[in-house]
């Protein structure tokens, strides 16, 4: 029997990451030693006090039932407490916070909650592909906006279209460019959004991975943000918990209530023992986060020094664990990534996988130990 999938699946662009993984597997099967700078998945372990909290709660029968849809009050209260401590933002945990199965859960379901045919949604190019894919799944029109190096990878707000636009997705610190946004930018964006009746969907999941003492802000720090915006956050990258599936959305209570309606009809919330582990993460010592940043910074410096010696162009990342490298017009980003994989055994992600404006770049992740990073630099140096 021939199975015909829904039209929306035919409209998805080819999934570059799957193609890359297939190539990597092929080379590995032939015995190649591949250094993977492709995936944005921390190689460091979840801190012990968080694992201990899970273990302590996993056997408790009270945690074995369906959790509440919006998250335990204690978890949402920990989220509000963390926003207060980290950003000096006061949130009412009852209606301004929602627990998520990772930020991706929220990014996907918010599209079902807010968009439909006839709506137009601004998505960054280059940007995390999920924003556009889910906008399309919800039947809305994707309107890509360019983020370019000459404007520090921020949108030019005065040039953003507004006609028929329902919402804008953005992500700072950015995957894939590692660009950051300051409060001045967020102020201008919130003003523009309120004036034009546009919802802001801010993805802030990399805010805790930052270097050289820099502390990325939250859009929620800006006056008026609560009127038009929600922010997605996650424990995935901050506490090395990508596999645990826990995150949060905070901000405008009407938007969150719409999100919750979809989620109530779709999933059944986060395992409570994982929420207890989340509380331990958010309320416990943040030394583990500092240590993560120190490790990523050391790797960043090894990679940056090596690439600089080779005469390659990039901006030194102030945050995220990505380095956005210019292919310097040598080849297209797919050919450049292929060259590194086949000749140096180093896997990177072609920029075009994040949108047409990502052409001419590749993304390198800092998620391998320093010693391997040195080896990656040596190998790249030999072939370029
Ligand atoms: C920009 C961005 N947003 C969201 C996610 C999803 O994160 P989570 O693990 O919290 O679902 C990722 C994962 O790589 C990401 O890069």
């Amino acid at each position: 029997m021939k199975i015909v999938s829904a039209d929306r699946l035919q409209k998805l662009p080819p999934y570059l990451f799957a193609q890359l993984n297939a190539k990597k597997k092929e080379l590995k099967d032939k015995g190649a030693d591949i250094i993977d700078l492709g995936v944005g998945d921390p190689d460091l372990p979840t801190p012990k006090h968080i694992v201990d909290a899970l273990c302590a709660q996993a056997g408790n029968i009270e945690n074995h039932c369906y959790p509440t849809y919006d998250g335990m009050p204690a978890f949402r209260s920990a989220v509000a407490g963390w926003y207060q401590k980290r950003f000096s933002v006061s949130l009412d945990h009852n209606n301004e916070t929602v627990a998520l199965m990772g930020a991706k859960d929220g990014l996907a379901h918010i599209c079902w909650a807010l968009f439909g045919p006839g709506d137009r949604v601004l998505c960054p190019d280059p940007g995390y592909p999920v924003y556009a894919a889910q906008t399309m799944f919800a039947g809305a029109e994707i309107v890509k906006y360019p983020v370019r190096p000459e404007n520090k990878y921020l949108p030019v707000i005065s040039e953003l279209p507004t006609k028929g636009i329902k919402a804008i997705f953005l992500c700072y610190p950015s995957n894939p460019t590692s660009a950051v946004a300051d409060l001045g930018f967020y102020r201008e964006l919130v003003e523009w959004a309120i004036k034009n009746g546009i919802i802001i969907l801010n993805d802030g999941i990399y805010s805790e991975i930052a270097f050289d003492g820099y502390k990325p802000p939250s859009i929620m720090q800006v006056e008026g943000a609560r009127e038009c915006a929600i922010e997605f956050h996650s424990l995935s990258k901050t506490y090395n918990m990508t596999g645990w599936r826990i995150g949060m959305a905070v901000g405008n209570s009407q938007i969150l209530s719409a999100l919750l309606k979809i989620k109530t009809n779709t999933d059944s919330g986060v395992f409570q023992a994982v929420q207890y582990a989340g509380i331990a993460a958010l309320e416990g010592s943040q030394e583990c986060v500092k240590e993560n940043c120190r490790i990523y910074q050391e790797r960043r410096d090894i990679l940056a020094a090596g690439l600089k010696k080779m005469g390659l162009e990039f901006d030194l990342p102030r945050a995220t664990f990505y380095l956005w490298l210019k292919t310097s017009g040598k080849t297209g980003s797919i050919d450049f990534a292929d060259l590194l994989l086949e000749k140096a055994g180093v896997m990177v992600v072609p920029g075009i996988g994040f949108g047409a404006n990502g052409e001419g770049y590749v993304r390198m992740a800092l998620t391998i130990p320093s010693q391997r990073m040195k080896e990656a630099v040596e190998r790249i140096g030999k072939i370029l």
Side-chain angles (χ1 to χ4, degrees):
M1 188 174 115
K2 186 172 178 336
I3 306 295
V4 181
S5 54
D7 276 357
R8 63 177 73 91
L9 292 196
Q10 322 298 329
K11 287 186 202 153
L12 276 175
Y15 200 58
L16 259 183
F17 296 87
Q19 292 171 7
L20 269 174
N21 278 331
K23 264 187 214 161
K24 178 182 161 188
K25 185 176 176 307
E26 195 187 309
L27 288 168
K28 268 187 122 174
D29 287 348
K30 285 186 196 154
D33 170 30
I34 306 295
I35 302 180
D36 192 346
L37 305 183
V39 284
D41 198 349
D43 59 317
L44 302 164
T46 307
K48 184 175 178 308
H49 67 283
I50 302 174
V51 178
D52 287 347
L54 170 80
C55 294
Q57 292 294 336
N60 181 352
I61 192 166
E62 283 174 24
N63 295 328
H64 296 175
C65 305
Y66 286 120
T68 50
Y69 294 107
D70 55 349
M72 288 156 45
F75 175 72
R76 286 183 282 109
S77 175
V79 167
W82 182 80
Y83 260 81
Q84 182 69 57
K85 256 191 275 163
R86 174 62 178 86
F87 300 113
S88 302
V89 168
S90 302
L91 297 167
D92 176 353
H93 76 277
N94 286 315
N95 53 26
E96 291 181 324
T97 65
V98 168
L100 299 173
M101 294 184 293
K104 198 173 184 179
D105 161 18
L107 292 166
H109 289 127
I110 197 66
C111 296
W112 292 91
L114 297 177
F115 311 149
D119 291 327
R120 306 176 77 220
V121 180
L122 285 164
C123 300
D125 179 0
Y128 182 54
V130 171
Y131 313 136
Q134 290 293 340
T135 296
M136 185 267 284
F137 285 167
E141 183 190 342
I142 303 159
V143 181
K144 293 275 181 97
Y145 66 87
V147 283
R148 298 211 164 92
E150 54 271 28
N151 200 44
K152 298 195 162 83
Y153 296 100
L154 293 165
V156 180
I157 295 174
S158 60
E159 290 176 9
L160 288 172
T162 54
K163 197 161 177 262
I165 299 293
K166 176 106 187 230
I168 179 168
F169 276 107
L170 65 153
C171 173
Y172 294 101
S174 160
N175 174 15
T177 66
S178 82
V180 296
D182 64 16
L183 282 175
F185 167 78
Y186 283 143
R187 267 188 215 107
E188 203 189 326
L189 188 77
V190 165
E191 204 176 295
W192 167 87
I194 292 174
K195 183 168 153 232
N196 294 292
I198 292 169
I199 294 166
I200 299 176
L201 302 169
N202 194 45
D203 183 349
I205 79 158
Y206 290 98
S207 74
E208 303 316 292
I209 311 295
F211 313 122
D212 308 315
Y214 173 62
K215 287 264 179 203
S218 157
I219 197 169
M220 288 300 145
Q221 289 171 251
V222 169
E223 210 185 312
R226 233 171 278 232
E227 205 182 311
C228 60
I230 62 168
E231 182 161 82
F232 297 94
H233 223 296
S234 171
L235 279 65
S236 286
K237 317 280 173 167
T238 310
Y239 303 103
N240 311 324
M241 293 174 74
T242 48
W244 295 58
R245 310 316 300 138
I246 182 158
M248 60 273 203
V250 308
N252 183 283
S253 57
Q254 291 176 70
I255 304 175
L256 292 183
S257 146
L259 171 61
L260 202 53
K261 253 188 212 163
I262 292 287
K263 277 178 59 62
T264 305
N265 286 280
T266 309
D267 64 64
S268 297
V270 180
F271 178 29
Q272 287 197 168
V274 169
Q275 293 190 55
Y276 279 112
I279 295 169
L282 294 168
E283 292 185 345
S285 162
Q286 300 300 300
E287 280 306 308
C288 54
V289 183
K290 269 196 207 155
E291 179 58 9
N292 272 357
C293 293
R294 188 194 65 72
I295 293 170
Y296 289 130
Q297 185 170 324
E298 182 182 288
R299 298 169 179 181
R300 175 201 69 170
D301 291 345
I302 293 167
L303 181 62
L307 297 173
K308 205 168 165 200
K309 249 194 195 159
M310 295 171 218
L312 294 170
E313 276 180 70
F314 58 90
D315 291 329
L316 190 68
R318 295 180 72 196
T320 77
F321 41 58
Y322 303 115
L323 187 145
W324 188 238
L325 177 71
K326 208 167 175 181
T327 61
S328 304
K330 288 188 175 72
T331 52
S333 64
I334 293 183
D335 290 342
F336 190 77
D338 276 349
L339 177 80
L340 294 192
L341 184 58
E342 281 160 24
K343 297 276 186 276
V346 175
M347 184 162 150
V348 300
V349 184
I352 196 155
F354 301 97
N357 283 304
E359 184 51 301
Y361 292 84
V362 293
R363 191 194 75 179
M364 303 172 115
L366 306 172
T367 46
I368 56 162
S370 292
Q371 201 48 42
R372 281 293 264 178
M373 190 61 92
K374 282 183 193 156
E375 201 182 328
V377 166
E378 273 170 30
R379 290 195 200 175
I380 297 170
K382 276 189 195 148
I383 63 149
L384 288 186

